[in-house]
PDB file of all heavy atoms in Angstrom:
ATOM      1  N   GLY A 225      76.554  25.484 113.124  1.00  0.00           N
ATOM      2  CA  GLY A 225      75.875  24.238 113.186  1.00  0.00           C
ATOM      3  C   GLY A 225      76.084  23.362 111.987  1.00  0.00           C
ATOM      4  O   GLY A 225      76.530  23.791 110.903  1.00  0.00           O
ATOM      5  N   ARG A 226      75.745  22.056 112.146  1.00  0.00           N
ATOM      6  CA  ARG A 226      76.001  21.095 111.026  1.00  0.00           C
ATOM      7  C   ARG A 226      75.219  21.475 109.770  1.00  0.00           C
ATOM      8  O   ARG A 226      75.778  21.376 108.676  1.00  0.00           O
ATOM      9  CB  ARG A 226      75.701  19.673 111.504  1.00  0.00           C
ATOM     10  CG  ARG A 226      76.764  19.060 112.291  1.00  0.00           C
ATOM     11  CD  ARG A 226      76.814  19.547 113.710  1.00  0.00           C
ATOM     12  NE  ARG A 226      75.566  19.233 114.422  1.00  0.00           N
ATOM     13  CZ  ARG A 226      75.189  19.847 115.556  1.00  0.00           C
ATOM     14  NH1 ARG A 226      75.963  20.777 116.109  1.00  0.00           N
ATOM     15  NH2 ARG A 226      74.025  19.536 116.167  1.00  0.00           N
ATOM     16  N   ARG A 227      73.977  21.855 109.962  1.00  0.00           N
ATOM     17  CA  ARG A 227      73.212  22.172 108.772  1.00  0.00           C
ATOM     18  C   ARG A 227      73.808  23.402 108.054  1.00  0.00           C
ATOM     19  O   ARG A 227      73.808  23.462 106.812  1.00  0.00           O
ATOM     20  CB  ARG A 227      71.777  22.530 109.197  1.00  0.00           C
ATOM     21  CG  ARG A 227      71.013  21.286 109.786  1.00  0.00           C
ATOM     22  CD  ARG A 227      69.676  21.628 110.303  1.00  0.00           C
ATOM     23  NE  ARG A 227      68.774  22.107 109.272  1.00  0.00           N
ATOM     24  CZ  ARG A 227      68.067  21.272 108.419  1.00  0.00           C
ATOM     25  NH1 ARG A 227      68.155  19.967 108.579  1.00  0.00           N
ATOM     26  NH2 ARG A 227      67.239  21.765 107.558  1.00  0.00           N
ATOM     27  N   GLU A 228      74.322  24.343 108.820  1.00  0.00           N
ATOM     28  CA  GLU A 228      74.944  25.520 108.172  1.00  0.00           C
ATOM     29  C   GLU A 228      76.215  25.160 107.443  1.00  0.00           C
ATOM     30  O   GLU A 228      76.499  25.641 106.380  1.00  0.00           O
ATOM     31  CB  GLU A 228      75.323  26.553 109.280  1.00  0.00           C
ATOM     32  CG  GLU A 228      75.951  27.841 108.752  1.00  0.00           C
ATOM     33  CD  GLU A 228      76.338  28.783 109.837  1.00  0.00           C
ATOM     34  OE1 GLU A 228      75.840  28.593 111.035  1.00  0.00           O
ATOM     35  OE2 GLU A 228      77.097  29.738 109.576  1.00  0.00           O
ATOM     36  N   VAL A 229      77.017  24.230 108.031  1.00  0.00           N
ATOM     37  CA  VAL A 229      78.203  23.769 107.395  1.00  0.00           C
ATOM     38  C   VAL A 229      77.979  23.058 106.098  1.00  0.00           C
ATOM     39  O   VAL A 229      78.606  23.257 105.108  1.00  0.00           O
ATOM     40  CB  VAL A 229      79.086  22.918 108.375  1.00  0.00           C
ATOM     41  CG1 VAL A 229      80.284  22.300 107.641  1.00  0.00           C
ATOM     42  CG2 VAL A 229      79.574  23.794 109.582  1.00  0.00           C
ATOM     43  N   GLY A 230      76.952  22.132 106.179  1.00  0.00           N
ATOM     44  CA  GLY A 230      76.613  21.386 104.946  1.00  0.00           C
ATOM     45  C   GLY A 230      76.135  22.329 103.851  1.00  0.00           C
ATOM     46  O   GLY A 230      76.458  22.164 102.675  1.00  0.00           O
ATOM     47  N   ALA A 231      75.269  23.304 104.209  1.00  0.00           N
ATOM     48  CA  ALA A 231      74.747  24.201 103.217  1.00  0.00           C
ATOM     49  C   ALA A 231      75.869  25.065 102.642  1.00  0.00           C
ATOM     50  O   ALA A 231      75.825  25.358 101.429  1.00  0.00           O
ATOM     51  CB  ALA A 231      73.680  25.107 103.909  1.00  0.00           C
ATOM     52  N   GLU A 232      76.858  25.501 103.479  1.00  0.00           N
ATOM     53  CA  GLU A 232      77.863  26.339 102.901  1.00  0.00           C
ATOM     54  C   GLU A 232      78.793  25.544 101.996  1.00  0.00           C
ATOM     55  O   GLU A 232      79.262  26.103 100.936  1.00  0.00           O
ATOM     56  CB  GLU A 232      78.757  26.901 104.099  1.00  0.00           C
ATOM     57  CG  GLU A 232      79.970  27.690 103.689  1.00  0.00           C
ATOM     58  CD  GLU A 232      79.664  28.906 102.872  1.00  0.00           C
ATOM     59  OE1 GLU A 232      78.490  29.340 102.846  1.00  0.00           O
ATOM     60  OE2 GLU A 232      80.649  29.476 102.301  1.00  0.00           O
ATOM     61  N   ALA A 233      79.068  24.280 102.319  1.00  0.00           N
ATOM     62  CA  ALA A 233      79.869  23.434 101.426  1.00  0.00           C
ATOM     63  C   ALA A 233      79.170  23.340 100.075  1.00  0.00           C
ATOM     64  O   ALA A 233      79.827  23.417  98.962  1.00  0.00           O
ATOM     65  CB  ALA A 233      80.091  22.089 102.062  1.00  0.00           C
ATOM     66  N   LEU A 234      77.833  23.162 100.038  1.00  0.00           N
ATOM     67  CA  LEU A 234      77.126  23.127  98.753  1.00  0.00           C
ATOM     68  C   LEU A 234      77.181  24.470  98.058  1.00  0.00           C
ATOM     69  O   LEU A 234      77.363  24.432  96.786  1.00  0.00           O
ATOM     70  CB  LEU A 234      75.649  22.729  99.045  1.00  0.00           C
ATOM     71  CG  LEU A 234      74.717  22.649  97.874  1.00  0.00           C
ATOM     72  CD1 LEU A 234      75.218  21.606  96.821  1.00  0.00           C
ATOM     73  CD2 LEU A 234      73.302  22.334  98.263  1.00  0.00           C
ATOM     74  N   ARG A 235      77.002  25.529  98.738  1.00  0.00           N
ATOM     75  CA  ARG A 235      77.026  26.814  98.096  1.00  0.00           C
ATOM     76  C   ARG A 235      78.375  27.045  97.472  1.00  0.00           C
ATOM     77  O   ARG A 235      78.489  27.564  96.278  1.00  0.00           O
ATOM     78  CB  ARG A 235      76.797  27.965  99.159  1.00  0.00           C
ATOM     79  CG  ARG A 235      76.721  29.366  98.581  1.00  0.00           C
ATOM     80  CD  ARG A 235      76.983  30.387  99.548  1.00  0.00           C
ATOM     81  NE  ARG A 235      78.383  30.376 100.001  1.00  0.00           N
ATOM     82  CZ  ARG A 235      79.386  30.843  99.322  1.00  0.00           C
ATOM     83  NH1 ARG A 235      79.223  31.339  98.131  1.00  0.00           N
ATOM     84  NH2 ARG A 235      80.633  30.831  99.824  1.00  0.00           N
ATOM     85  N   ARG A 236      79.435  26.605  98.039  1.00  0.00           N
ATOM     86  CA  ARG A 236      80.789  26.824  97.564  1.00  0.00           C
ATOM     87  C   ARG A 236      80.991  26.036  96.297  1.00  0.00           C
ATOM     88  O   ARG A 236      81.579  26.515  95.277  1.00  0.00           O
ATOM     89  CB  ARG A 236      81.859  26.458  98.560  1.00  0.00           C
ATOM     90  CG  ARG A 236      81.847  27.390  99.771  1.00  0.00           C
ATOM     91  CD  ARG A 236      83.004  27.123 100.748  1.00  0.00           C
ATOM     92  NE  ARG A 236      82.951  27.987 101.905  1.00  0.00           N
ATOM     93  CZ  ARG A 236      83.986  28.266 102.656  1.00  0.00           C
ATOM     94  NH1 ARG A 236      85.136  27.607 102.449  1.00  0.00           N
ATOM     95  NH2 ARG A 236      83.903  29.105 103.685  1.00  0.00           N
ATOM     96  N   VAL A 237      80.547  24.796  96.284  1.00  0.00           N
ATOM     97  CA  VAL A 237      80.801  23.962  95.048  1.00  0.00           C
ATOM     98  C   VAL A 237      79.895  24.461  93.898  1.00  0.00           C
ATOM     99  O   VAL A 237      80.269  24.462  92.736  1.00  0.00           O
ATOM    100  CB  VAL A 237      80.598  22.496  95.353  1.00  0.00           C
ATOM    101  CG1 VAL A 237      79.177  22.109  95.556  1.00  0.00           C
ATOM    102  CG2 VAL A 237      81.166  21.660  94.187  1.00  0.00           C
ATOM    103  N   LEU A 238      78.686  24.893  94.216  1.00  0.00           N
ATOM    104  CA  LEU A 238      77.798  25.376  93.193  1.00  0.00           C
ATOM    105  C   LEU A 238      78.398  26.670  92.549  1.00  0.00           C
ATOM    106  O   LEU A 238      78.242  26.927  91.286  1.00  0.00           O
ATOM    107  CB  LEU A 238      76.392  25.687  93.709  1.00  0.00           C
ATOM    108  CG  LEU A 238      75.585  24.432  94.138  1.00  0.00           C
ATOM    109  CD1 LEU A 238      74.239  24.875  94.706  1.00  0.00           C
ATOM    110  CD2 LEU A 238      75.345  23.545  92.933  1.00  0.00           C
ATOM    111  N   ALA A 239      79.103  27.486  93.330  1.00  0.00           N
ATOM    112  CA  ALA A 239      79.725  28.674  92.808  1.00  0.00           C
ATOM    113  C   ALA A 239      80.928  28.301  91.880  1.00  0.00           C
ATOM    114  O   ALA A 239      81.398  29.208  91.169  1.00  0.00           O
ATOM    115  CB  ALA A 239      80.214  29.506  93.955  1.00  0.00           C
ATOM    116  N   ARG A 240      81.370  27.046  91.884  1.00  0.00           N
ATOM    117  CA  ARG A 240      82.481  26.642  91.014  1.00  0.00           C
ATOM    118  C   ARG A 240      81.978  26.279  89.556  1.00  0.00           C
ATOM    119  O   ARG A 240      82.826  26.147  88.703  1.00  0.00           O
ATOM    120  CB  ARG A 240      83.207  25.401  91.599  1.00  0.00           C
ATOM    121  CG  ARG A 240      83.687  25.551  93.003  1.00  0.00           C
ATOM    122  CD  ARG A 240      84.783  26.580  93.113  1.00  0.00           C
ATOM    123  NE  ARG A 240      85.756  26.572  92.049  1.00  0.00           N
ATOM    124  CZ  ARG A 240      86.348  27.680  91.586  1.00  0.00           C
ATOM    125  NH1 ARG A 240      86.031  28.859  91.996  1.00  0.00           N
ATOM    126  NH2 ARG A 240      87.190  27.551  90.642  1.00  0.00           N
ATOM    127  N   ARG A 241      80.787  26.226  89.389  1.00  0.00           N
ATOM    128  CA  ARG A 241      80.193  25.860  88.013  1.00  0.00           C
ATOM    129  C   ARG A 241      80.649  26.887  87.003  1.00  0.00           C
ATOM    130  O   ARG A 241      80.543  28.112  87.219  1.00  0.00           O
ATOM    131  CB  ARG A 241      78.673  25.741  88.053  1.00  0.00           C
ATOM    132  CG  ARG A 241      78.175  24.501  88.816  1.00  0.00           C
ATOM    133  CD  ARG A 241      76.708  24.328  88.755  1.00  0.00           C
ATOM    134  NE  ARG A 241      75.977  25.464  89.422  1.00  0.00           N
ATOM    135  CZ  ARG A 241      74.715  25.402  89.759  1.00  0.00           C
ATOM    136  NH1 ARG A 241      73.992  24.285  89.469  1.00  0.00           N
ATOM    137  NH2 ARG A 241      74.106  26.406  90.336  1.00  0.00           N
ATOM    138  N   GLY A 242      81.155  26.381  85.900  1.00  0.00           N
ATOM    139  CA  GLY A 242      81.623  27.269  84.809  1.00  0.00           C
ATOM    140  C   GLY A 242      83.017  27.777  85.027  1.00  0.00           C
ATOM    141  O   GLY A 242      83.453  28.664  84.272  1.00  0.00           O
ATOM    142  N   ALA A 243      83.758  27.320  86.020  1.00  0.00           N
ATOM    143  CA  ALA A 243      85.084  27.805  86.300  1.00  0.00           C
ATOM    144  C   ALA A 243      86.038  27.527  85.071  1.00  0.00           C
ATOM    145  O   ALA A 243      85.987  26.430  84.511  1.00  0.00           O
ATOM    146  CB  ALA A 243      85.676  27.199  87.566  1.00  0.00           C
ATOM    147  N   SER A 244      86.863  28.432  84.778  1.00  0.00           N
ATOM    148  CA  SER A 244      87.757  28.321  83.686  1.00  0.00           C
ATOM    149  C   SER A 244      89.007  29.300  83.854  1.00  0.00           C
ATOM    150  O   SER A 244      89.015  30.106  84.748  1.00  0.00           O
ATOM    151  CB  SER A 244      87.122  28.623  82.372  1.00  0.00           C
ATOM    152  OG  SER A 244      86.712  29.976  82.308  1.00  0.00           O
ATOM    153  N   LYS A 245      89.969  29.129  82.993  1.00  0.00           N
ATOM    154  CA  LYS A 245      91.089  30.026  82.998  1.00  0.00           C
ATOM    155  C   LYS A 245      90.645  31.326  82.330  1.00  0.00           C
ATOM    156  O   LYS A 245      89.789  31.350  81.429  1.00  0.00           O
ATOM    157  CB  LYS A 245      92.243  29.474  82.168  1.00  0.00           C
ATOM    158  CG  LYS A 245      92.938  28.310  82.859  1.00  0.00           C
ATOM    159  CD  LYS A 245      94.143  27.819  82.097  1.00  0.00           C
ATOM    160  CE  LYS A 245      93.720  27.106  80.798  1.00  0.00           C
ATOM    161  NZ  LYS A 245      94.885  26.555  80.105  1.00  0.00           N
ATOM    162  N   VAL A 246      91.147  32.414  82.825  1.00  0.00           N
ATOM    163  CA  VAL A 246      90.904  33.696  82.196  1.00  0.00           C
ATOM    164  C   VAL A 246      92.258  34.216  81.670  1.00  0.00           C
ATOM    165  O   VAL A 246      93.291  33.600  81.942  1.00  0.00           O
ATOM    166  CB  VAL A 246      90.275  34.756  83.151  1.00  0.00           C
ATOM    167  CG1 VAL A 246      88.938  34.251  83.595  1.00  0.00           C
ATOM    168  CG2 VAL A 246      91.176  35.028  84.330  1.00  0.00           C
ATOM    169  N   SER A 247      92.274  35.256  80.903  1.00  0.00           N
ATOM    170  CA  SER A 247      93.511  35.781  80.302  1.00  0.00           C
ATOM    171  C   SER A 247      94.478  36.236  81.412  1.00  0.00           C
ATOM    172  O   SER A 247      94.074  36.722  82.422  1.00  0.00           O
ATOM    173  CB  SER A 247      93.154  36.884  79.383  1.00  0.00           C
ATOM    174  OG  SER A 247      92.589  37.969  80.073  1.00  0.00           O
ATOM    175  N   SER A 248      95.754  36.001  81.096  1.00  0.00           N
ATOM    176  CA  SER A 248      96.825  36.485  82.095  1.00  0.00           C
ATOM    177  C   SER A 248      96.697  37.988  82.179  1.00  0.00           C
ATOM    178  O   SER A 248      96.407  38.689  81.207  1.00  0.00           O
ATOM    179  CB  SER A 248      98.189  36.095  81.548  1.00  0.00           C
ATOM    180  OG  SER A 248      98.289  34.674  81.471  1.00  0.00           O
ATOM    181  N   ARG A 249      96.938  38.490  83.357  1.00  0.00           N
ATOM    182  CA  ARG A 249      96.801  39.902  83.617  1.00  0.00           C
ATOM    183  C   ARG A 249      97.570  40.305  84.819  1.00  0.00           C
ATOM    184  O   ARG A 249      97.933  39.504  85.700  1.00  0.00           O
ATOM    185  CB  ARG A 249      95.326  40.226  83.821  1.00  0.00           C
ATOM    186  CG  ARG A 249      94.677  39.553  85.034  1.00  0.00           C
ATOM    187  CD  ARG A 249      93.192  39.668  85.035  1.00  0.00           C
ATOM    188  NE  ARG A 249      92.580  38.887  83.909  1.00  0.00           N
ATOM    189  CZ  ARG A 249      91.313  38.951  83.613  1.00  0.00           C
ATOM    190  NH1 ARG A 249      90.483  39.719  84.349  1.00  0.00           N
ATOM    191  NH2 ARG A 249      90.829  38.236  82.636  1.00  0.00           N
ATOM    192  N   ARG A 250      97.867  41.582  84.974  1.00  0.00           N
ATOM    193  CA  ARG A 250      98.386  42.182  86.173  1.00  0.00           C
ATOM    194  C   ARG A 250      97.237  42.977  86.755  1.00  0.00           C
ATOM    195  O   ARG A 250      96.753  43.983  86.161  1.00  0.00           O
ATOM    196  CB  ARG A 250      99.586  43.114  85.882  1.00  0.00           C
ATOM    197  CG  ARG A 250     100.200  43.762  87.134  1.00  0.00           C
ATOM    198  CD  ARG A 250     101.424  44.638  86.771  1.00  0.00           C
ATOM    199  NE  ARG A 250     102.462  43.835  86.225  1.00  0.00           N
ATOM    200  CZ  ARG A 250     103.387  43.213  86.988  1.00  0.00           C
ATOM    201  NH1 ARG A 250     103.377  43.293  88.236  1.00  0.00           N
ATOM    202  NH2 ARG A 250     104.351  42.510  86.346  1.00  0.00           N
ATOM    203  N   THR A 251      96.778  42.572  87.956  1.00  0.00           N
ATOM    204  CA  THR A 251      95.582  43.212  88.548  1.00  0.00           C
ATOM    205  C   THR A 251      95.627  43.098  90.044  1.00  0.00           C
ATOM    206  O   THR A 251      96.527  42.544  90.602  1.00  0.00           O
ATOM    207  CB  THR A 251      94.338  42.499  87.962  1.00  0.00           C
ATOM    208  OG1 THR A 251      93.220  43.217  88.377  1.00  0.00           O
ATOM    209  CG2 THR A 251      94.258  41.008  88.431  1.00  0.00           C
ATOM    210  N   THR A 252      94.645  43.652  90.652  1.00  0.00           N
ATOM    211  CA  THR A 252      94.523  43.568  92.146  1.00  0.00           C
ATOM    212  C   THR A 252      94.152  42.167  92.480  1.00  0.00           C
ATOM    213  O   THR A 252      93.392  41.447  91.834  1.00  0.00           O
ATOM    214  CB  THR A 252      93.392  44.515  92.621  1.00  0.00           C
ATOM    215  OG1 THR A 252      93.718  45.876  92.239  1.00  0.00           O
ATOM    216  CG2 THR A 252      93.189  44.430  94.122  1.00  0.00           C
ATOM    217  N   MET A 253      94.778  41.704  93.598  1.00  0.00           N
ATOM    218  CA  MET A 253      94.431  40.384  94.140  1.00  0.00           C
ATOM    219  C   MET A 253      93.782  40.590  95.511  1.00  0.00           C
ATOM    220  O   MET A 253      94.343  41.109  96.413  1.00  0.00           O
ATOM    221  CB  MET A 253      95.637  39.471  94.322  1.00  0.00           C
ATOM    222  CG  MET A 253      95.375  38.088  94.860  1.00  0.00           C
ATOM    223  SD  MET A 253      96.796  36.962  94.939  1.00  0.00           S
ATOM    224  CE  MET A 253      97.756  37.694  96.219  1.00  0.00           C
ATOM    225  N   LEU A 254      92.552  40.195  95.591  1.00  0.00           N
ATOM    226  CA  LEU A 254      91.816  40.122  96.880  1.00  0.00           C
ATOM    227  C   LEU A 254      91.931  38.699  97.369  1.00  0.00           C
ATOM    228  O   LEU A 254      91.838  37.730  96.592  1.00  0.00           O
ATOM    229  CB  LEU A 254      90.303  40.481  96.704  1.00  0.00           C
ATOM    230  CG  LEU A 254      90.003  41.922  96.158  1.00  0.00           C
ATOM    231  CD1 LEU A 254      88.503  42.052  95.999  1.00  0.00           C
ATOM    232  CD2 LEU A 254      90.596  42.938  97.054  1.00  0.00           C
ATOM    233  N   VAL A 255      92.061  38.548  98.658  1.00  0.00           N
ATOM    234  CA  VAL A 255      92.245  37.168  99.297  1.00  0.00           C
ATOM    235  C   VAL A 255      91.200  36.977 100.400  1.00  0.00           C
ATOM    236  O   VAL A 255      91.110  37.729 101.304  1.00  0.00           O
ATOM    237  CB  VAL A 255      93.688  37.021  99.840  1.00  0.00           C
ATOM    238  CG1 VAL A 255      93.849  35.573 100.332  1.00  0.00           C
ATOM    239  CG2 VAL A 255      94.744  37.373  98.784  1.00  0.00           C
ATOM    240  N   HIS A 256      90.384  35.887 100.217  1.00  0.00           N
ATOM    241  CA  HIS A 256      89.471  35.554 101.251  1.00  0.00           C
ATOM    242  C   HIS A 256      90.185  35.325 102.519  1.00  0.00           C
ATOM    243  O   HIS A 256      91.297  34.740 102.509  1.00  0.00           O
ATOM    244  CB  HIS A 256      88.743  34.284 100.764  1.00  0.00           C
ATOM    245  CG  HIS A 256      87.542  33.948 101.603  1.00  0.00           C
ATOM    246  ND1 HIS A 256      87.604  33.394 102.849  1.00  0.00           N
ATOM    247  CD2 HIS A 256      86.223  34.106 101.402  1.00  0.00           C
ATOM    248  CE1 HIS A 256      86.417  33.148 103.342  1.00  0.00           C
ATOM    249  NE2 HIS A 256      85.573  33.596 102.478  1.00  0.00           N
ATOM    250  N   PRO A 257      89.618  35.616 103.707  1.00  0.00           N
ATOM    251  CA  PRO A 257      90.268  35.433 104.935  1.00  0.00           C
ATOM    252  C   PRO A 257      90.775  33.998 105.204  1.00  0.00           C
ATOM    253  O   PRO A 257      91.857  33.825 105.752  1.00  0.00           O
ATOM    254  CB  PRO A 257      89.190  35.805 105.996  1.00  0.00           C
ATOM    255  CG  PRO A 257      88.404  36.834 105.274  1.00  0.00           C
ATOM    256  CD  PRO A 257      88.318  36.408 103.867  1.00  0.00           C
ATOM    257  N   GLU A 258      89.999  32.994 104.736  1.00  0.00           N
ATOM    258  CA  GLU A 258      90.472  31.612 104.937  1.00  0.00           C
ATOM    259  C   GLU A 258      91.674  31.285 104.144  1.00  0.00           C
ATOM    260  O   GLU A 258      92.610  30.572 104.539  1.00  0.00           O
ATOM    261  CB  GLU A 258      89.326  30.629 104.594  1.00  0.00           C
ATOM    262  CG  GLU A 258      88.190  30.681 105.545  1.00  0.00           C
ATOM    263  CD  GLU A 258      87.076  29.716 105.147  1.00  0.00           C
ATOM    264  OE1 GLU A 258      87.319  28.750 104.334  1.00  0.00           O
ATOM    265  OE2 GLU A 258      85.911  29.940 105.587  1.00  0.00           O
ATOM    266  N   ALA A 259      91.808  31.875 102.893  1.00  0.00           N
ATOM    267  CA  ALA A 259      92.940  31.678 102.068  1.00  0.00           C
ATOM    268  C   ALA A 259      94.134  32.478 102.549  1.00  0.00           C
ATOM    269  O   ALA A 259      95.292  32.130 102.376  1.00  0.00           O
ATOM    270  CB  ALA A 259      92.659  32.002 100.615  1.00  0.00           C
ATOM    271  N   ALA A 260      93.833  33.580 103.211  1.00  0.00           N
ATOM    272  CA  ALA A 260      94.927  34.499 103.679  1.00  0.00           C
ATOM    273  C   ALA A 260      95.806  33.795 104.702  1.00  0.00           C
ATOM    274  O   ALA A 260      97.001  34.139 104.783  1.00  0.00           O
ATOM    275  CB  ALA A 260      94.291  35.762 104.287  1.00  0.00           C
ATOM    276  N   SER A 261      95.260  32.843 105.459  1.00  0.00           N
ATOM    277  CA  SER A 261      96.049  32.189 106.465  1.00  0.00           C
ATOM    278  C   SER A 261      97.240  31.478 105.829  1.00  0.00           C
ATOM    279  O   SER A 261      98.339  31.437 106.478  1.00  0.00           O
ATOM    280  CB  SER A 261      95.185  31.203 107.247  1.00  0.00           C
ATOM    281  OG  SER A 261      94.681  30.163 106.414  1.00  0.00           O
ATOM    282  N   VAL A 262      97.049  30.906 104.684  1.00  0.00           N
ATOM    283  CA  VAL A 262      98.168  30.230 103.998  1.00  0.00           C
ATOM    284  C   VAL A 262      99.184  31.253 103.523  1.00  0.00           C
ATOM    285  O   VAL A 262     100.422  31.024 103.708  1.00  0.00           O
ATOM    286  CB  VAL A 262      97.640  29.413 102.790  1.00  0.00           C
ATOM    287  CG1 VAL A 262      98.799  28.849 102.001  1.00  0.00           C
ATOM    288  CG2 VAL A 262      96.743  28.330 103.287  1.00  0.00           C
ATOM    289  N   LEU A 263      98.716  32.308 102.963  1.00  0.00           N
ATOM    290  CA  LEU A 263      99.630  33.354 102.407  1.00  0.00           C
ATOM    291  C   LEU A 263     100.503  33.919 103.528  1.00  0.00           C
ATOM    292  O   LEU A 263     101.708  34.083 103.421  1.00  0.00           O
ATOM    293  CB  LEU A 263      98.826  34.407 101.745  1.00  0.00           C
ATOM    294  CG  LEU A 263      99.540  35.412 100.804  1.00  0.00           C
ATOM    295  CD1 LEU A 263     100.148  34.652  99.618  1.00  0.00           C
ATOM    296  CD2 LEU A 263      98.667  36.540 100.357  1.00  0.00           C
ATOM    297  N   VAL A 264      99.886  34.301 104.650  1.00  0.00           N
ATOM    298  CA  VAL A 264     100.612  34.850 105.782  1.00  0.00           C
ATOM    299  C   VAL A 264     101.502  33.788 106.482  1.00  0.00           C
ATOM    300  O   VAL A 264     102.579  34.070 106.851  1.00  0.00           O
ATOM    301  CB  VAL A 264      99.646  35.503 106.806  1.00  0.00           C
ATOM    302  CG1 VAL A 264     100.357  35.951 108.036  1.00  0.00           C
ATOM    303  CG2 VAL A 264      98.893  36.646 106.175  1.00  0.00           C
ATOM    304  N   GLY A 265     100.955  32.600 106.606  1.00  0.00           N
ATOM    305  CA  GLY A 265     101.667  31.533 107.256  1.00  0.00           C
ATOM    306  C   GLY A 265     103.009  31.186 106.565  1.00  0.00           C
ATOM    307  O   GLY A 265     104.034  30.944 107.206  1.00  0.00           O
ATOM    308  N   ARG A 266     103.005  31.206 105.240  1.00  0.00           N
ATOM    309  CA  ARG A 266     104.263  30.951 104.520  1.00  0.00           C
ATOM    310  C   ARG A 266     105.270  32.069 104.829  1.00  0.00           C
ATOM    311  O   ARG A 266     106.479  31.792 104.985  1.00  0.00           O
ATOM    312  CB  ARG A 266     103.949  30.902 102.985  1.00  0.00           C
ATOM    313  CG  ARG A 266     103.121  29.737 102.511  1.00  0.00           C
ATOM    314  CD  ARG A 266     103.835  28.372 102.646  1.00  0.00           C
ATOM    315  NE  ARG A 266     103.073  27.315 102.119  1.00  0.00           N
ATOM    316  CZ  ARG A 266     103.200  26.831 100.872  1.00  0.00           C
ATOM    317  NH1 ARG A 266     104.062  27.390 100.065  1.00  0.00           N
ATOM    318  NH2 ARG A 266     102.406  25.830 100.444  1.00  0.00           N
ATOM    319  N   MET A 267     104.825  33.283 104.841  1.00  0.00           N
ATOM    320  CA  MET A 267     105.725  34.395 105.153  1.00  0.00           C
ATOM    321  C   MET A 267     106.320  34.240 106.550  1.00  0.00           C
ATOM    322  O   MET A 267     107.489  34.559 106.727  1.00  0.00           O
ATOM    323  CB  MET A 267     104.949  35.737 105.033  1.00  0.00           C
ATOM    324  CG  MET A 267     105.813  36.929 105.279  1.00  0.00           C
ATOM    325  SD  MET A 267     104.863  38.423 105.605  1.00  0.00           S
ATOM    326  CE  MET A 267     104.359  38.163 107.297  1.00  0.00           C
ATOM    327  N   LEU A 268     105.576  33.754 107.498  1.00  0.00           N
ATOM    328  CA  LEU A 268     106.099  33.619 108.838  1.00  0.00           C
ATOM    329  C   LEU A 268     107.260  32.667 108.934  1.00  0.00           C
ATOM    330  O   LEU A 268     108.069  32.739 109.831  1.00  0.00           O
ATOM    331  CB  LEU A 268     104.982  33.232 109.814  1.00  0.00           C
ATOM    332  CG  LEU A 268     103.845  34.232 110.051  1.00  0.00           C
ATOM    333  CD1 LEU A 268     102.769  33.582 110.935  1.00  0.00           C
ATOM    334  CD2 LEU A 268     104.402  35.501 110.637  1.00  0.00           C
ATOM    335  N   GLY A 269     107.300  31.759 107.976  1.00  0.00           N
ATOM    336  CA  GLY A 269     108.447  30.807 107.968  1.00  0.00           C
ATOM    337  C   GLY A 269     109.802  31.588 107.863  1.00  0.00           C
ATOM    338  O   GLY A 269     110.838  31.061 108.283  1.00  0.00           O
TER     339      GLY A 269
END
């Protein structure tokens, strides 16, 4: 629903507060399902 979509957009931007670079590292990468579509889509090319 529209109210759910608006609330989720707000939740996402509020979660961005304090975002910054962290130190370079080799680590596990977890990928949110919405972001995974881009990663898999490029491979399909």
Side-chain angles (χ1 to χ4, degrees):
R226 278 76 62 197
R227 295 173 66 81
E228 180 182 348
V229 172
E232 174 62 14
L234 177 60
R235 186 201 66 78
R236 293 185 180 199
V237 71
L238 293 177
R240 304 299 314 147
R241 289 184 294 195
S244 64
K245 292 185 287 187
V246 297
S247 61
S248 297
R249 63 191 67 187
R250 181 180 296 273
T251 188
T252 299
M253 180 172 72
L254 301 178
V255 184
H256 191 283
E258 292 179 18
S261 63
V262 174
L263 196 64
V264 175
R266 294 291 186 94
M267 183 195 76
L268 292 178

